[in-house]
């Protein structure tokens, strides 16, 4: 047995907690990402980026907020553990007080969820399994940036499960993410089919 065989990955709440410290007025995206990159690879980064998409926002906002995911997800496919982002994007900043408010709001839910998360089915969160997750997350990012009304919640939730699964090396969460993604794709496909059927009927009536 190796020295790290029984080593449990750092919890997401422990990863996010350092972001609460400091008295700066604003914090850049680069500083936020540098604070969460670590043992969880790009899992914590994915989780932070998907949070705004899960919020109830006016139509169109989720499309814009999902654009960074198109940069992150393919890097998981490539096996990167450190994120590359353009300098211009890394320099974008938000109010530190807003970041602290969001993390404090989420922390109790995250802490409760982590009580049932643990390393299991790790073949899904290591080696080729990570790259397959990257492909799934890239597909989700493409779905989220498309103007599909009311179709962002399930894919975004699936990506959140993938992010947590990568962070905690919990393959069960990854399986749940695949299931939710399959359901989202099915619902979107049925929606498109319904639109096509209605369009055919309207054209036939003309």
């Amino acid at each position: 047995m190796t020295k790290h065989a029984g080593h449990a990955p750092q919890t997401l709440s422990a990863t996010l907690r350092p972001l609460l410290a400091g008295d700066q007025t604003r914090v850049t995206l680069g500083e936020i990402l540098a604070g969460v990159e670590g043992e969880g690879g790009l899992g914590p980064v994915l989780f932070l980026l998907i949070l705004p998409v899960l919020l109830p926002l006016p139509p169109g906002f989720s499309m814009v907020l999902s654009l960074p995911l198109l940069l992150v997800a393919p890097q998981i496919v490539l096996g990167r553990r450190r994120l590359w982002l353009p300098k211009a994007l890394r320099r974008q900043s938000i109010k530190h007080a807003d970041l602290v408010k969001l993390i404090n709001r989420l922390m109790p839910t995250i802490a409760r969820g982590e009580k049932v998360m643990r390393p299991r089915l790790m073949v899904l969160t290591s080696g080729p399994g990570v790259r397959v997750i990257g492909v799934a997350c890239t597909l989700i990012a493409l779905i989220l940036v498309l103007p599909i009304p009311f179709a962002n919640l399930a894919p975004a939730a699936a990506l959140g499960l993938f992010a947590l699964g990568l962070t905690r090396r919990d393959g069960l969460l990854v399986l749940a993410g695949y299931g939710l993604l399959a359901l989202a794709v099915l619902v979107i496909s049925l929606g498109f089919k319904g639109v096509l059927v209605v369009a055919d009927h309207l054209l036939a009536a003309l």
Side-chain angles (χ1 to χ4, degrees):
M1 184 180 293
T2 64
K3 182 173 69 173
H4 300 288
H7 176 61
Q10 186 177 24
T11 63
L12 182 62
S13 54
T15 302
L16 295 177
R17 200 165 286 117
L19 297 177
L20 301 174
D23 56 0
Q24 64 269 45
T25 304
R26 301 186 69 85
V27 58
T28 66
L29 180 59
E31 291 169 339
I32 294 172
L33 297 182
V36 300
E37 288 179 328
E39 293 181 2
L42 297 183
V45 174
L46 272 179
F47 189 79
L48 276 180
L49 291 177
I50 200 61
L51 286 180
V53 184
L54 290 168
L55 297 174
L57 296 170
F61 274 74
S62 63
M63 294 167 55
V64 176
L65 294 172
S66 300
L67 288 174
L69 294 170
L70 285 175
L71 289 174
V72 178
Q75 293 183 52
I76 297 176
V77 181
L78 295 175
R80 292 183 61 92
R81 293 187 60 81
R82 293 289 176 179
L83 179 65
W84 175 87
L85 283 180
K87 289 183 178 179
L89 191 55
R90 282 189 171 272
R91 286 196 293 263
Q92 297 300 312
S93 66
I94 63 170
K95 292 181 179 179
H96 185 243
D98 291 341
L99 178 65
V100 169
K101 187 184 300 183
L102 177 61
I103 293 176
N104 280 331
R105 185 186 306 169
L106 293 169
M107 197 67 80
T109 302
I110 293 172
R112 285 195 297 270
E114 286 178 334
K115 291 180 180 179
V116 298
M117 298 178 200
R118 63 181 187 275
R120 52 190 163 183
L121 301 176
M122 292 176 63
V123 66
L124 297 174
T125 59
S126 59
V130 174
R131 287 174 167 78
V132 176
I133 291 174
V135 172
C137 290
T138 302
L139 173 61
I140 292 173
L142 289 171
I143 292 174
L144 292 176
V145 299
L146 293 175
I148 306 175
F150 311 111
N152 66 316
L153 183 57
L159 199 149
L161 289 172
F162 287 135
L164 289 172
L166 284 174
T167 303
R168 297 293 290 144
R169 300 177 194 164
D170 192 337
L172 191 59
L173 290 180
V174 172
L175 283 179
Y178 285 131
L180 197 53
L181 175 57
L183 178 63
V185 171
L186 177 62
V187 170
I188 292 171
S189 299
L190 291 175
F192 274 124
K193 185 176 181 180
V195 170
L196 291 176
V197 169
V198 171
D200 285 341
H201 280 298
L202 289 176
L203 289 173
L206 294 178

